[in-house]
Amino acid sequence: MKGMKGLLNVEYGSIHAFYWMAYGALASFASVFLLGRGYSNTDIGMIFAVGSVLAVFLQPVLADVADRSRKLSLIGVSQLVLAVIMVLTLGLFLLQEKSIALAAVYVLILAGNTALQPLFNSLCFKLSESGIHINFGVCRSFGSLAYSILVMFLGTMAEEKGILVLPVTGELVMFLNLISLVLLTNHFRKACGSGENTRGVGDAETVEKSGNTGRRDKPEEEINLIQFARRNKMFFLMTIGVLGIYFGNGVLNNFMLQVITPLGGDSEDMGRIYSVMAFLEIPTMVLFEQINRRISCQCLLKIASAVFVVKTAMIWLADSVTVVMLAQGLQLFSFALFLPAMVHFIDQTMHRGEAVKGQALYTAMITVASVICSLLGGVILDLYGAGRLMMLSTLLTFAGAVIISLTIGKIHTKKEETIGLSA
C-alpha cells in the first residue's frame, strides 16, 4: 500500500508537470505564435484579456459540475476539458493566417488551460479525503521544475524549427497528461481495493482515515453557487485581497521587460529573472507540509502577503537590474508560500460540497487580476511609465495584504464548525 501511495503522488505530480509544460507552450509563448500569424501586440492583448474573462465564467461552471454531477467525476471533468483543448489545438495547424476563427480558437485554448488549474488543485484533496495522502507542495513543484526546464529551450526550438513546434509540444504534453489522469484513476481504485470510492475520486466515506482535515465521516450535502456565496461571505471578502496581491504579481509576470528596460535591462535579463522565479518556487513548495505542521495556513498567508508587499516595493524603488534580481529572492516567501497555503486553507475552510468552488473562486480572482493588470498596465506604461505602474502595484498589493490579514482570522475551519454544531 505504501508503494501504491508513492506511485499516486508521482502520478499526481506528473499531472502538474504536464499541465505547466502545456501552459508554457500554449500560453507563455502565445505572443510568439500569434505574432508569427500576423497579429499585432494590441490584438494579442485582447486575445489574452478575452480568454481570461471567459475563464472567470468557465471555472465556477466546471467546479459546479464536478461537485454536483452524478455521472462525471472530478477526474472525468478534467479529462473532458483536456480533450477539448487538444481538439482546439489542432486548429492551430489548420488555420495558417490571421483570422477571427484563429483568434477564437486561441481564446478558448487559453480559457480552458486556466480553468483546468483549480480542478487539478482540488484533485489533491479529493484523493486525500479517501485516505491517499498527497503532498501538494512536492507535486506542485514538479510543475515549476518542468515549466522552467521547457521554457529554457522552447524559444530556441521555435526560432530554429518554426512556430508550429509550440502546438506540437502542447499536443504532446497534453496527451501525456491525459494518460496520467487515466493511470491515476486506475491506480487509485487498486489502492482502495475497489472502484466504489472513486466516483468523485474522493467521495468515499473513509475520510477520517486520512487524518487530514477533521471532516465528518459522511458526505456533505451538495450546494449550488448561490448557496456557496451565502455560506462563505467572509471568504468572498478575502478574495478581494487576493485580487490586490495578484495585480502586482501579474504586472511583474506580464511587463517585467518594460520594468527593467529603464534600469538598463534587456530580454536576456528578463529570461534570467523568470528562471530564478520559477526555480525558487520549488524549495518552499517541497517543504510546505513540514512548514505547515509548525505554522498555520492563516499565519502563512499573512506572512506571504506581507512579503509580496516588500518584494513589489523593492522593485518599484530599484535603481538597477541587480536589485530587481535580489527582490526575486523573496519569491521563496511570497508566491511560493502563498499558493500552497491558499490551496490548503481553502480545503480546510470549505465543506466537501464547496471545496472545488472555493478553488475555482480563488483562481478566478487571479484571472480577474490578470485581466485588469493587462489592460490597465499597458495604458499606464504608455502614459506615465514603469515607475508609476510599479507604484500603483505596490499600493494595491499593500491593500490586498491588509484585507487578507483582517478577514482571514474570521473564517472558521470545517473542524471548528463541526465541533460547534455538535456542542
Side-chain angles (χ1 to χ4, degrees):
M1 177 62 76
K2 186 176 292 186
M4 183 62 72
K5 289 183 178 180
L7 179 61
L8 287 167
N9 271 269
V10 171
E11 287 177 352
Y12 179 69
S14 70
I15 288 170
H16 278 285
F18 293 134
Y19 168 79
W20 285 105
M21 290 172 76
Y23 184 89
L26 298 173
S28 297
F29 280 79
S31 292
V32 175
F33 183 87
L34 293 170
L35 285 170
R37 287 288 183 258
Y39 289 88
S40 67
N41 288 316
T42 300
D43 297 329
I44 294 169
M46 287 300 299
I47 288 171
F48 268 109
V50 175
S52 297
V53 170
L54 180 59
V56 170
F57 293 97
L58 185 60
Q59 286 164 353
V61 172
L62 291 175
D64 200 40
V65 171
D67 271 339
R68 304 179 70 194
S69 176
R70 297 291 181 184
K71 296 181 179 180
L72 281 175
S73 67
L74 179 57
I75 283 187
V77 174
S78 301
Q79 290 172 329
L80 180 61
V81 174
L82 196 57
V84 170
I85 299 172
M86 291 178 68
V87 172
L88 290 168
T89 303
L90 292 175
L92 303 184
F93 299 98
L94 302 175
L95 301 169
Q96 297 292 319
E97 297 179 356
K98 177 182 177 181
S99 65
I100 294 177
L102 179 55
V105 165
Y106 225 104
V107 163
L108 293 172
I109 289 172
L110 293 173
N113 263 287
T114 302
L116 271 176
Q117 188 176 345
L119 297 180
F120 288 158
N121 289 348
S122 297
L123 181 56
C124 168
F125 301 103
K126 288 292 186 180
L127 291 166
S128 295
E129 287 168 16
S130 299
I132 307 298
H133 177 66
I134 299 294
N135 190 319
F136 177 80
V138 172
C139 293
R140 174 58 179 81
S141 71
F142 286 12
S144 297
L145 180 61
Y147 172 89
S148 61
I149 292 173
L150 179 66
V151 297
M152 190 183 303
F153 302 104
L154 203 53
T156 302
M157 291 167 60
E159 188 71 26
E160 294 179 355
K161 307 294 184 181
I163 59 174
L164 284 180
V165 74
L166 301 174
V168 167
T169 303
E171 288 282 29
L172 176 61
V173 294
M174 284 190 290
F175 176 72
L176 293 174
N177 210 355
L178 205 56
I179 293 175
S180 293
L181 286 167
V182 173
L183 292 174
L184 182 68
T185 305
N186 293 336
H187 290 149
F188 174 77
R189 287 173 178 160
K190 291 179 181 177
C192 290
S194 72
E196 294 176 1
N197 297 338
T198 58
R199 185 197 69 79
V201 192
D203 289 336
E205 297 182 7
T206 58
V207 176
E208 290 188 343
K209 294 180 182 178
S210 67
N212 192 37
T213 56
R215 295 180 176 176
R216 287 172 250 186
D217 59 356
K218 60 182 180 180
E220 303 284 348
E221 78 273 24
E222 295 166 345
I223 63 170
N224 58 35
L225 293 173
I226 295 176
Q227 291 171 319
F228 174 81
R230 289 173 179 170
R231 288 187 181 185
N232 298 279
K233 293 177 182 177
M234 196 57 64
F235 179 77
F236 265 83
L237 287 177
M238 190 190 73
T239 60
I240 302 300
V242 172
L243 182 63
I245 290 288
Y246 274 91
F247 179 91
N249 191 66
V251 165
L252 296 177
N253 287 337
N254 295 344
F255 301 112
M256 181 61 77
L257 181 61
Q258 291 90 328
V259 169
I260 64 174
T261 297
L263 305 177
D266 55 22
S267 59
E268 187 176 355
D269 293 313
M270 184 187 73
R272 293 195 190 101
I273 290 170
Y274 281 150
S275 179
V276 168
M277 288 173 63
F279 278 106
L280 284 178
E281 293 173 4
I282 298 171
T284 303
M285 290 184 178
V286 168
L287 297 173
F288 180 79
E289 287 202 351
Q290 287 86 336
I291 296 171
N292 193 208
R293 290 192 190 106
R294 294 169 173 80
I295 307 175
S296 69
C297 286
Q298 290 93 329
C299 185
L300 291 174
L301 285 168
K302 291 179 182 179
I303 293 171
S305 299
V307 177
F308 262 121
V309 177
V310 174
K311 173 185 171 182
T312 310
M314 280 185 65
I315 296 174
W316 169 35
L317 300 173
D319 58 0
S320 68
V321 175
T322 301
V323 175
V324 175
M325 183 70 77
L326 289 173
Q328 297 311 314
L330 296 176
Q331 186 81 351
L332 278 165
F333 309 107
S334 54
F335 178 80
L337 187 61
F338 193 92
L339 173 64
M342 181 61 77
V343 171
H344 279 77
F345 177 72
I346 290 171
D347 181 66
Q348 294 168 5
T349 302
M350 303 296 167
H351 289 279
R352 291 180 64 188
E354 304 172 323
V356 181
K357 295 181 185 68
Q359 300 290 354
L361 178 61
Y362 166 53
T363 308
M365 295 307 288
I366 297 174
T367 306
V368 171
S370 177
V371 172
I372 295 174
C373 81
S374 295
L375 297 177
L376 189 60
V379 174
I380 294 175
L381 279 170
D382 288 339
L383 293 178
Y384 304 108
R388 291 288 181 89
L389 178 58
M390 287 310 304
M391 180 181 70
L392 176 63
S393 298
T394 302
L395 292 174
L396 290 177
T397 303
F398 176 75
V402 170
I403 292 172
I404 289 173
S405 296
L406 292 176
T407 57
I408 197 166
K410 299 178 181 179
I411 302 173
H412 301 292
T413 67
K414 291 188 287 286
K415 185 174 181 180
E416 290 170 344
E417 291 181 355
T418 301
I419 294 172
L421 287 171
S422 61

